[in-house]
Each structure stands twice: as structure tokens, then as C-alpha cells.
């Protein structure tokens, strides 16, 4: 059964039940009130008649009925009573609507209290049927000499109640129809407010939304227009270092996280993307997007947070892959040129020269590879350096690894990815520097040593050098001396971050027009880390 059908049916049943209860209650109340009103009226008339001097005097006459009957009938017609019966102490009637019953004994058996001097309202059955009566004693001095009974038939009372009941029924029917119409309008409005969804669909969507929010590795926080948190996922709890059982929903965003700019997004309705924000000492990239309703009104905002270091790691992985691809491409190009040279020597019949060429190339390659395998036993670092050699050959740059290098004592707890980041970005920057100069000879050298307590990495080039006025800027993210876009200006900032993570330091010296030397020192032992100041 669909939602609006359930709502209409439920509200209609509720109105019918309430209408029935109200009708029954009103009927009883009206019947009680009507009986009380008629009883009081009957008693008041009876008391008035009992105090009439002519009635009291008539009891002393030989034929009281001749005086009392006309008076009683006149009053009965005036008050619209069913009967006014006046009797003596022996309950003999002196008045009655039916003259044939004059002189007969009164019936009903409810005169006991009256003869004791009390006025009463009673219900009893007389010669005319069940009736509601008001009875008052007639006194002669202090002695009760008779009784006045003014009555209204129960059937007349029931007719009045029936009239009221019909009015109540009509009112209840109108309320029912109005309620059904209201139920229809309410159900349609609710249906529109929940975008035509059924409760099961809403429950499923809620569970789906919860699962999606928890599957996202980014922290998600949403607020309403008052700045109160409406949605927060587990990752956001972790980022904020809040226990998962702590209730953040309903709190103001400023109480949980400052400088989110979410309220500004709510105010302006403008989204913000890839904005840096500092959360508990760590830098995150935040996206802030306003939430609109179907009327294009801002009803809140949602923000996502992702640790910037994760993106940096992805960038490093991409850089490694790109470097590997470039190395393969350079190696392919280099060996293609050598094969063409070898083919030319064979076609010219210069077999001895061809053999010498092959021997020389093999000796050089094997000698360098053997050197790397011996002095740089870590396969990842060695392969990375070999790739850079191939890239330099393609770029027509003389890239030399100092034969005095030794990188055999690299502690296992030092992150190799960070070392590759440092070496790779320094070498790449050196390649870029020598390519931009006008010198015929372009060279870059790499020196690695593990002697002493530190790992030393030294990269030297004969590029144009660094302008002294820019020494304080070269490690800033986004700063570059090259007129390029994209990833320019991030190499040295990544080097700085990697060195800080390893607890190392970096220095450089540069002569304008001559070249630059970068020297990195990384402590082998973690105990030495605190002795170094991180790079600002």
C-alpha cells in the first residue's frame, strides 16, 4: 500500500473513531444536561404552584378539584409540561390532564420524600408513561397536606436528544469529509516533500547514503543554514580525533572545527575547491559545496577533507612511473641509434670496427651496472639512477655518478620512496637547469655516501645558477624560475617535505652563470633527528 493511501486511510479511520467517540460523548452530555434542565424547570414550576395561596386554600374546600384543576391546566399549557398532577396526603388526584382520572390515586411511588417536606426530581412511570418529574410538597403551616408533580415524558426528552444527535452526526460527517480532504492534501504535500519516495525507498536510500559516506576515504561534514552539523562520517571523526561514539550531529561547526568557511559558502552560495586548511597540525585539501533545494535556495553546505600528504604520495608514485617510462623511452632511443651505427659499420664492411664498437658499449654498460650493483645495492635506488642515466643520454646531458660514491649502509627503517623523491627531484631540477643554459657542454653529477652518521646526497650542475635574491623562495610550493605551468614549482617543495620527514637538512651554494650544488644530509639514526632543525 502506497504512503498517501496509508495516510488517507489512517487519518479517515482516526476521524471516524474520534467522531464516534465525540458523538457518543456529546449525546450523553446533552442528554444529561437536557434532563437536568427539564428537571430543574419541572421542580421550579412545582415549587411555584405549591406556594400559591389559592392552591393551599383549595385543600380546605369540599371539592378541591373544582379550583385546582383549572389552575393546574392553565399553567401546564403555559410551561408546555406533559402533566401537572396535584394530590392530597393520601395521593388522591385533584388535577390531571385527563379529567377522568381525577379522584384516583397517584401512581409512580416516588412521593415518600415529598411527604417528608423535601422537593425532589425523579424519574418514574405513571399513567402517561415514563417521565421526568419535579415534585414539591404543599404546606399548611408546617404540615405537609399535599404534593405537586410537574412532569415531562421521557419520549419528549428523547426526541430533543435525537434532534441534537442528528446535528452532531451532520457536524461529524462534515468533519470527516474535511478530514479526508485534509488527509489527501497532507499526503500529497508529504509525498512532494519526500520527492515521491515511499518509506521503504527512503530507508534504503538512507542505508545506501550511510554506506557511501563510510566508504569514502575523505572526511565529510555537512551543516544547515544555522551552522549546525547534520552529517559527519567516520573518516571525519578520525581526522578530528573524535571517538566514533561521540555525537557531533547537532553541534555548531565552530565548536568542532574552526575556519571551515562553510558558513561563508552558505551565505554566498559559491563553491570552493582544493582549498588548504589546517586541522590539528596537518594540512588538508578541502572542497566546500552549497546545498540547494528545488527552489534554488541554499539550505546548507557540505565539505570534504583529504590529507594533502596522501595526494603528495600519489604525485610521487606518478613521478616514479613517469621517470621509469621516460627512462625506457630514452634507453630505446639510445639503443636504436647504436643499432643504426652498428648496421652502418656492417654494411660498410668495417667488421673490426663493429666488433670494437660492440665491445666498448658492452664494457661501458656492464662496468657502470656492476659499479651500481656494488656501491648502491638497493635495487630501487640503483634502477632509478640507471633510468636517469638513460634519460640524460637522450637529453644530450653528461650525467655522471661519482665513482667514489657508496650507498651500502642505508638503514632499513629509512623510507626508500622518500630517498628516491629527494634524488629524483634534485636530478630533474639539475637537468632542467643545464638545458636552459647556452653552454655547449652540459653536465650533471651525483655523489652519494654513507660514511659517518649521515647519508649524504650531493647533486651538482653547470647551469645558470640561482639568483641570490631568490634564495628564500626556491623551496616554496608553486615557485619556479621556468616559464611553465602544470607541475612546475613543486619539485623542491617535495624535496623539502621528504627531508623534514626523514629529519634531515639541505644546503646549497650557487654562482650565477656557473652552476649550483645541492647537499642533503640525512641522519641514519632516529636519535639524531631531534638535533636538526626542519627546513622552514
Amino acid at each position: 500500500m502506497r504512503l498517501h493511501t496509508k495516510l488517507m486511510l489512517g487519518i479517515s479511520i482516526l476521524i471516524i473513531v474520534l467522531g464516534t467517540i465525540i458523538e457518543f460523548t456529546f449525546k450523553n452530555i446533552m442528554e444529561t444536561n437536557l434532563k437536568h434542565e427539564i428537571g430543574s424547570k419541572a421542580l421550579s414550576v412545582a415549587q411555584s404552584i405549591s406556594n400559591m395561596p389559592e392552591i393551599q386554600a383549595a385543600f380546605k374546600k369540599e371539592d378541591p378539584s373544582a379550583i385546582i384543576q383549572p389552575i393546574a391546566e392553565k399553567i401546564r399549557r403555559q410551561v408546555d409540561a406533559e402533566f401537572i398532577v396535584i394530590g392530597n396526603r393520601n395521593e388522591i388526584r385533584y388535577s390531571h390532564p385527563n379529567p377522568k382520572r381525577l379522584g384516583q390515586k397517584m401512581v409512580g411511588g416516588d412521593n415518600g420524600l415529598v411527604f417528608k417536606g423535601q422537593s425532589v426530581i425523579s424519574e418514574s412511570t405513571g399513567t402517561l408513561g415514563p417521565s421526568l418529574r419535579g415534585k414539591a410538597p404543599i404546606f399548611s403551616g408546617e404540615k405537609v397536606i399535599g404534593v405537586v408533580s410537574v412532569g415531562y415524558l421521557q419520549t419528549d426528552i428523547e426526541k430533543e436528544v435525537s434532534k441534537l444527535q442528528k446535528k452532531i452526526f451532520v457536524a461529524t460527517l462534515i468533519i470527516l469529509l474535511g478530514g479526508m480532504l485534509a488527509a489527501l492534501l497532507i499526503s500529497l504535500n508529504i509525498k512532494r516533500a519526500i520527492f515521491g519516495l515511499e518509506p521503504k525507498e527512503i530507508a534504503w536510500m538512507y542505508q545506501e547514503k550511510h554506506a557511501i559516506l563510510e566508504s569514502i576515504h575523505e572526511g565529510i561534514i555537512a551543516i544547515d543554514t544555522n551552522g549546525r552539523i547534520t552529517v559527519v562520517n567516520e573518516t571525519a571523526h578520525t581526522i578530528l580525533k573524535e571517538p566514533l561514539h561521540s555525537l557531533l550531529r547537532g553541534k555548531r561547526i565552530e565548536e568542532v572545527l574552526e575556519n571551515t568557511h562553510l558558513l561563508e559558502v552558505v551565505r554566498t552560495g559559491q563553491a570552493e575547491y582544493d582549498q588548504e586548511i589546517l586541522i590539528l597540525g596537518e594540512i588538508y585539501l578541502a572542497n566546500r559545496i552549497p546545498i540547494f533545494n528545488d527552489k534554488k535556495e541554499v539550505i546548507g553546505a557540505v565539505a570534504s577533507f583529504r590529507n594533502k600528504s596522501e595526494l603528495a604520495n600519489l604525485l610521487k608514485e606518478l613521478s616514479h612511473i613517469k621517470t621509469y617510462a621516460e627512462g625506457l623511452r630514452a634507453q630505446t632511443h639510445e639503443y636504436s641509434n647504436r643499432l643504426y651505427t652498428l648496421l652502418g659499420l656492417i654494411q660498410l664492411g668495417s667488421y673490426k670496427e663493429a666488433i670494437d664498437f660492440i665491445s666498448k658499449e658492452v664494457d661501458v654498460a656492464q662496468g657502470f651496472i656492476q659499479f651500481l650493483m656494488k656501491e648502491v645495492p638497493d635495487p630501487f635506488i640503483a634502477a632509478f639512477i640507471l633510468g636517469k642515466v638513460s634519460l640524460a643520454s637522450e637529453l644530450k646531458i653528461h650525467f655522471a655518478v661519482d665513482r667514489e660514491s657508496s650507498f651500502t649502509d642505508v638503514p632499513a627503517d629509512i623510507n626508500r620512496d622518500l630517498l628516491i623523491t629527494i634524488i629524483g627531484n634534485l636530478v630533474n631540477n639539475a637537468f632542467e637547469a643545464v638545458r636552459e643554459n647556452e653552454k655547449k657542454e652540459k653536465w650533471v653529477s651525483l655523489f652519494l655516501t654513507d660514511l659517518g652518521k649521515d647519508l649524504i646526497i650531493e647533486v651538482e650542475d653547470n647551469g645558470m645558477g640561482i639568483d641570490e635574491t631568490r634564495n628564500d623562495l626556491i623551496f616554496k610550493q608553486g615557485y619556479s624560475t621556468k616559464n611553465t605551468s602544470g607541475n612546475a614549482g613543486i619539485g623542491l617543495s617535495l624535496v623539502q617535505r621528504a627531508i623534514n620527514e626523514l629529519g634531515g637538512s639541505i644546503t646549497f651554494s650557487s654562482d650565477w652563470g656557473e652552476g649550483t650544488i645541492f647537499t642533503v644530509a640525512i641522519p641514519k639514526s632516529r636519535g639524531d633527528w631531534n638535533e636538526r632543525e626542519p627546513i622552514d
Side-chain angles (χ1 to χ4, degrees):
M1 188 181 295
R2 301 186 69 81
L3 177 62
H4 71 278
T5 305
K6 289 181 181 179
L7 285 172
M8 286 189 61
L9 186 60
I11 295 176
S12 298
I13 292 174
L14 178 64
I15 292 174
I16 290 172
V17 172
L18 289 177
T20 303
I21 294 172
I22 291 172
E23 182 180 357
F24 179 77
T25 304
F26 275 16
K27 177 186 175 183
N28 288 339
I29 292 173
M30 295 304 297
E31 187 173 1
T32 301
N33 290 341
L34 189 60
K35 284 184 177 181
H36 176 74
E37 181 183 345
I38 292 175
S40 298
K41 178 182 177 181
L43 181 60
S44 178
V45 173
Q47 289 174 335
S48 298
I49 292 174
S50 68
N51 291 325
M52 292 177 66
E54 50 265 51
I55 297 295
Q56 294 173 356
F59 271 75
K60 298 176 182 179
K61 304 295 182 181
E62 292 183 3
D63 187 11
S65 296
I67 298 171
I68 295 173
Q69 175 70 2
I71 297 172
E73 283 300 299
K74 180 181 178 182
I75 295 173
R76 182 183 70 83
R77 286 190 291 270
Q78 289 175 346
V79 300
D80 198 26
E82 190 65 31
F83 62 83
I84 295 179
V85 176
I86 301 174
N88 61 13
R89 181 82 183 183
N90 297 320
E91 298 185 337
I92 301 301
R93 298 189 186 101
Y94 290 156
S95 70
H96 194 278
N98 185 354
K100 294 180 180 181
R101 293 179 178 170
L102 293 176
Q104 297 179 3
K105 189 175 178 65
M106 300 172 68
V107 296
D110 52 353
N111 290 329
L113 293 175
V114 180
F115 288 135
K116 292 180 181 181
Q118 297 181 24
S119 298
V120 298
I121 298 173
S122 66
E123 292 185 44
S124 185
T125 301
T127 56
L128 300 178
S131 59
L132 179 65
R133 309 171 177 190
K135 291 179 175 285
I138 300 173
F139 289 93
S140 176
E142 294 183 0
K143 182 180 179 181
V144 177
I145 59 174
V147 58
V148 180
S149 178
V150 179
Y152 294 86
L153 292 180
Q154 292 281 10
T155 54
D156 293 337
I157 297 174
E158 289 173 359
K159 287 179 182 178
E160 291 296 324
V161 172
S162 180
K163 290 178 182 179
L164 292 173
Q165 189 174 5
K166 288 179 181 179
K167 293 179 180 179
I168 294 172
F169 177 76
V170 171
T172 303
L173 185 61
I174 293 172
I175 292 172
L176 175 61
L177 294 175
M180 291 181 68
L181 179 61
L184 177 62
L185 295 175
I186 291 172
S187 65
L188 291 176
N189 188 52
I190 292 175
K191 194 75 172 175
R192 190 182 305 110
I194 60 177
F195 302 101
L197 298 173
E198 294 297 316
K200 288 183 178 179
E201 294 174 321
I202 295 173
W204 183 83
M205 288 183 66
Y206 175 80
Q207 294 172 345
E208 180 186 44
K209 186 192 80 168
H210 180 75
I212 291 173
L213 284 175
E214 301 311 326
S215 68
I216 295 174
H217 292 296
E218 297 183 348
I220 303 293
I221 298 179
I223 64 168
D224 59 18
T225 52
N226 296 319
R228 298 196 176 277
I229 297 174
T230 57
V231 174
V232 56
N233 68 348
E234 290 184 5
T235 306
H237 276 267
T238 303
I239 291 173
L240 297 170
K241 292 182 172 53
E242 292 281 352
L244 295 179
H245 58 78
S246 66
L247 185 62
L248 300 181
R249 187 178 301 172
K251 291 185 177 181
R252 291 193 62 81
I253 187 65
E254 300 94 334
E255 299 174 13
V256 177
L257 183 61
E258 296 180 353
N259 302 323
T260 61
H261 289 266
L262 276 176
L263 289 173
E264 184 68 15
V265 172
V266 170
R267 188 183 66 81
T268 63
Q270 299 295 320
E272 298 178 357
Y273 297 99
D274 298 328
Q275 300 295 310
E276 289 189 2
I277 180 174
L278 186 66
I279 302 177
L280 300 179
E282 294 190 36
I283 298 177
Y284 290 81
L285 289 181
N287 294 316
R288 308 177 186 94
I289 302 172
I291 303 172
F292 297 93
N293 61 12
D294 55 351
K295 297 179 181 178
K296 303 300 181 183
E297 298 171 339
V298 178
I299 58 174
V302 61
S304 64
F305 307 94
R306 184 162 188 172
N307 198 312
K308 193 174 181 181
S309 62
E310 294 181 9
L311 297 177
N313 290 335
L314 290 175
L315 187 59
K316 284 190 290 186
E317 292 293 332
L318 180 60
S319 177
H320 292 170
I321 294 172
K322 182 180 179 182
T323 302
Y324 180 70
E326 288 177 347
L328 289 177
R329 181 168 60 84
Q331 193 174 44
T332 301
H333 184 71
E334 181 182 357
Y335 277 95
S336 176
N337 290 336
R338 291 173 182 175
L339 285 175
Y340 281 122
T341 303
L342 183 60
L343 176 62
L345 290 173
I346 293 173
Q347 288 176 338
L348 294 172
S350 303
Y351 302 116
K352 183 178 182 300
E353 287 79 1
I355 293 172
D356 292 341
F357 179 78
I358 294 172
S359 299
K360 180 183 176 183
E361 291 296 324
V362 170
D363 289 342
V364 172
Q366 287 299 322
F368 183 70
I369 291 173
Q370 288 176 0
F371 162 73
L372 278 182
M373 291 176 64
K374 179 182 177 182
E375 302 298 338
V376 187
D378 188 290
F380 293 102
I381 298 176
F384 185 77
I385 293 173
L386 191 59
K388 290 298 180 184
V389 171
S390 298
L391 177 60
S393 178
E394 183 186 10
L395 297 175
K396 307 302 181 184
I397 298 171
H398 177 66
F399 177 49
V401 179
D402 195 309
R403 292 299 173 131
E404 297 297 322
S405 295
S406 176
F407 229 47
T408 58
D409 186 23
V410 179
D413 58 349
I414 292 183
N415 190 313
R416 268 45 177 182
D417 285 338
L418 295 178
L419 288 177
I420 290 174
T421 296
I422 295 168
I423 297 170
N425 282 286
L426 289 177
V427 171
N428 285 344
N429 275 10
F431 285 174
E432 292 292 336
V434 298
R435 290 179 64 188
E436 291 181 354
N437 67 25
E438 301 295 333
K439 298 176 183 179
K440 184 176 180 180
E441 183 182 2
K442 304 176 187 296
W443 58 266
V444 174
S445 68
L446 171 65
F447 174 69
L448 306 171
T449 183
D450 53 11
L451 298 177
K453 295 183 178 180
D454 295 332
L455 299 176
I456 304 298
I457 302 169
E458 186 176 276
V459 177
E460 183 179 1
D461 65 71
N462 69 336
M464 291 301 297
I466 301 172
D467 189 344
E468 289 184 0
T469 60
R470 301 180 178 180
N471 286 352
D472 296 333
L473 302 175
I474 61 172
F475 292 108
K476 299 295 183 182
Q477 181 170 332
Y479 175 78
S480 174
T481 59
K482 299 181 288 291
N483 295 323
T484 57
S485 59
N487 291 332
I490 65 172
L492 288 179
S493 69
L494 290 176
V495 170
Q496 172 193 352
R497 189 175 303 161
I499 292 173
N500 284 341
E501 289 188 36
L502 295 174
S505 62
I506 183 171
T507 59
F508 68 93
S509 63
S510 180
D511 292 326
W512 183 250
E514 296 298 326
T516 305
I517 301 176
F518 281 92
T519 304
V520 176
I522 299 170
K524 295 180 183 179
S525 173
R526 290 179 178 270
D528 299 330
W529 287 18
N530 293 331
E531 299 176 6
R532 299 179 183 270
E533 293 294 332
I535 304 169
D536 293 330

